[in-house]
Amino acid sequence: MSSQTHIPRTVRVWDPVVRLGHWIIVAAFFTAYLSGDEWAGIHIWAGYTVAAAVLVRLIWELVGTRHARFSSFVRGPRAVMAYLKGLFSKKAERHLGHNPAGALMIVALLVSLAGTTVSGMALLAAEDGRGPLAGVIASGDGVPVERSTHVDVRRDGQEEGTEGHEEGGTGEIIEEVHSIFTYLTLALVALHVLGVAASSLAHRENLVRAMVTGRKRPLE
């Protein structure tokens, strides 16, 4: 009898936590972006969802399966540049997990998403006095910086309460930071999509489908 080694058509690479977390972040981030100020409630809860998914992903990096851990796919600048150079010359080495360039993008996206959500919670605290940072981001008297109430005295002697908005105050600065992180994330997402498309073509595999099924063909 001749013995032949059976090579499976596909092997499991990404576990359900990685895959589900990936798509939850995609859906929640764009829900938050598209809802904006018009649907504040949806925007806020979508932001919380992104924050929770990012936190779970960071924890899973420590206790998750092999290909979920950064130590299995994060490489240095030389490896990233070598992969990109090989990608353009059609000689890029195929990786079972994330390739070096994709790994760098994942780290950048997680950092940017963390910045987006934290600055969003800080803005909510500064403007409305709500959220997990409400006890930290506040004016000296405990009133949220951007929504502090002051009293105007009209000519007829009656007091009139108005909501003040400190131009150039803490809330305005936080809002600017939040916008920067938001658009940085959008730019990284665009680069990520281009990178996934380029790697899929170079290695003749559907990486989007692999992130749904968790399976890829084995290394040859």
Side-chain angles (χ1 to χ4, degrees), residues 130-152:
R130 294 188 292 148
L133 299 182
V136 179
I137 312 284
S139 62
D141 57 1
V143 179
V145 174
E146 291 299 311
R147 297 292 185 182
S148 59
T149 302
H150 64 272
V151 178
D152 289 334

Side-chain angles (χ1 to χ4, degrees), residues 5-176:
T5 303
H6 175 69
I7 301 177
R9 295 181 62 184
T10 61
V11 293
R12 186 172 295 281
V13 178
W14 293 308
D15 62 66
V17 175
V18 172
R19 289 162 18 229
L20 187 60
H22 175 275
W23 296 115
I24 286 176
I25 288 174
V26 170
F29 173 78
F30 281 103
T31 297
Y33 177 72
L34 294 174
S35 58
D37 295 330
E38 297 182 8
W39 296 286
I42 295 175
H43 180 85
I44 291 169
W45 283 105
Y48 283 147
T49 302
V50 173
V54 169
L55 181 60
V56 169
R57 182 64 185 91
L58 293 175
I59 294 173
W60 197 243
E61 187 278 326
L62 299 174
V63 300
T65 56
R66 174 189 172 189
H67 292 290
R69 301 189 181 192
F70 292 172
S71 58
S72 72
F73 58 82
V74 174
R75 297 292 181 267
R78 289 185 179 180
V80 174
M81 294 306 297
Y83 179 82
L84 291 175
K85 183 178 179 181
L87 199 62
F88 286 110
S89 63
K90 298 182 180 180
K91 296 179 180 180
E93 179 184 359
R94 181 174 173 268
H95 295 260
L96 190 58
H98 296 292
N99 63 65
L104 178 62
M105 180 57 68
I106 290 170
V107 173
L109 278 167
L110 289 174
V111 171
S112 186
L113 286 166
T116 303
T117 54
V118 171
S119 61
M121 287 185 279
L123 183 60
L124 181 64
E127 290 191 338
D128 296 336
R130 294 188 292 148
L133 299 182
V136 179
I137 312 284
S139 62
D141 57 1
V143 179
V145 174
E146 291 299 311
R147 297 292 185 182
S148 59
T149 302
H150 64 272
V151 178
D152 289 334
V153 179
R154 301 188 319 200
R155 290 184 178 180
D156 58 9
Q158 295 182 357
E159 294 181 348
E160 180 178 337
T162 59
E163 280 193 338
H165 183 85
E166 295 184 12
E167 294 187 11
T170 303
E172 188 172 319
I173 295 172
I174 296 172
E175 185 175 6
E176 184 67 23

